[in-house]
Amino acid sequence: MAAAVPCTLGSVQAGRARWVAAGCSRLGHGWRLSGSWGARRVGPVLWARAWAPPAGGPVPRRGYSSDVKSEDELRVRQLEEENRGADLKERAKMHSSEVGPFVSKIRAVINDIANLPVPTIAAIDGLALGGGLELALACDIRVAASSAKMGLVETKLAIIPGGGGTQRLPRAIGMSLAKELIFSARVLDGQEAKALGLVSHVLEQNQEGDAAYRKALDLAREFLPQGPVAMRVAKLAINQGMEVDLVTGLAIEEACYAQTIPTKDRLEGLLAFKEKRPPRYKGE
């Protein structure tokens, strides 16, 4: 989940939620990015799983990107956490002076995810309300089960989305529709979200309740063989180019393309094509 990682793919799943790739986060109750970490290696893939302490137990805090920067061989990371949005019971106990800094921390974490130099996929199999949807909006691709529920519902609580929702939702579906959803605090199912362009794929939920997660894994498997440097700069070119005019965007594309020219991966790709074999990219 950091610039040192040559190629990582991610997915986030809300309700029963994970990310596959850059990170895989479980979204359920509360907005706590905490836990302890264990990892096992499966071939070139490293899986890391976070655990939540028992109810009432101590919660060790950690940052999302603090330890990932050194994992140079990381290809797929899974973080597991419960999160459907902000914990309103916790919020109700906060002094007004604590709310602003609390929301700022949430916004910073979501921004970190949005700025990951690798593809991220949000897989929404359950609820993604408020902060849960804001986290999904920070991902590059969103997939959902038809039974999933998602929405920015903060105006019901006399507040507004504070984790980037007022900015990322209009960029995803357009200003007018975004205003309608935020003003009404409407909750969408997977089919409705697909019709508005909020998610790229919608699937009938399976018996295990992880249809979106399985689709996210399928997408991650499609992404994983591609050149790591190319994936990183392609994401950079698209993200930065969307914020500027076309002429400036084309200049950004040119600069990003230039970063791929001196790489060993580019030469390996050409050689693999010539020899009609799968390329063996190393992210260099």
Side-chain angles (χ1 to χ4, degrees):
M1 285 205 315
V5 179
C7 180
T8 321
L9 300 174
S11 90
V12 187
Q13 183 177 345
R16 290 188 53 190
R18 291 171 270 194
W19 317 0
V20 199
C24 194
S25 175
R26 192 163 198 141
L27 310 177
H29 301 288
W31 175 258
R32 296 187 180 85
L33 304 179
S34 57
S36 185
W37 298 90
R40 60 186 178 90
R41 190 173 298 279
V42 185
V45 176
L46 179 70
W47 290 91
R49 184 179 297 271
W51 53 267
V59 180
R61 298 276 173 171
R62 66 173 301 282
Y64 246 87
S65 59
S66 59
D67 65 340
V68 187
K69 295 178 182 179
S70 62
E71 296 174 2
D72 292 338
E73 296 181 4
L74 184 64
R75 290 286 178 151
V76 177
R77 184 175 184 85
Q78 177 178 3
L79 314 179
E80 201 160 321
E81 181 68 41
E82 292 192 351
N83 191 337
R84 291 176 186 166
D87 186 336
L88 298 182
K89 292 181 180 179
E90 180 183 22
R91 187 78 66 86
K93 298 176 183 178
M94 286 184 180
H95 188 272
S96 58
S97 63
E98 298 177 292
V99 175
F102 175 79
V103 175
S104 293
K105 290 178 181 178
I106 293 175
R107 187 182 302 113
V109 170
I110 293 176
N111 286 342
D112 283 346
I113 292 171
N115 292 327
L116 285 170
V118 292
T120 53
I121 307 165
I124 307 170
D125 275 309
L127 297 178
L129 303 175
L133 181 55
E134 288 179 304
L135 180 57
L137 283 166
C139 293
D140 300 311
I141 299 166
R142 288 167 295 281
V143 298
S146 57
S147 58
K149 301 294 182 183
M150 65 200 81
L152 296 179
V153 297
E154 286 85 351
T155 52
K156 279 188 176 180
L157 303 173
I159 56 175
I160 69 170
T166 64
Q167 302 306 304
R168 292 193 177 96
L169 187 62
R171 285 166 167 78
I173 65 172
M175 188 192 312
S176 181
L177 282 173
K179 286 179 177 178
E180 182 179 332
L181 294 183
I182 291 173
F183 293 168
S184 64
R186 187 179 305 158
V187 176
L188 306 174
D189 62 26
Q191 294 287 358
E192 292 169 326
K194 176 66 166 62
L196 296 182
L198 181 54
V199 301
S200 301
H201 303 274
V202 62
L203 306 98
E204 291 299 319
Q205 189 57 281
N206 58 28
Q207 193 170 6
E208 291 76 19
D210 64 353
Y213 177 56
R214 289 177 183 271
K215 178 63 177 178
L217 283 174
D218 289 341
L219 291 172
R221 292 186 185 103
E222 285 189 63
F223 300 162
L224 197 56
Q226 318 312 329
V229 176
M231 296 290 278
R232 183 173 71 246
V233 297
K235 177 171 177 173
L236 181 65
I238 295 168
N239 285 356
Q240 292 194 354
M242 289 299 294
E243 302 300 323
V244 298
D245 61 88
L246 179 59
V247 172
T248 306
L250 291 172
I252 290 171
E253 179 186 79
E254 181 178 10
C256 287
Y257 190 98
Q259 293 185 44
T260 68
I261 295 174
T263 63
K264 295 179 181 179
D265 279 354
R266 184 182 71 88
L267 299 177
E268 165 61 17
L270 294 172
L271 182 61
F273 179 79
K274 179 180 178 180
E275 296 177 353
K276 299 181 180 180
R277 60 169 174 80
R280 295 184 287 270
Y281 296 126
K282 297 181 179 179
E284 54 189 34

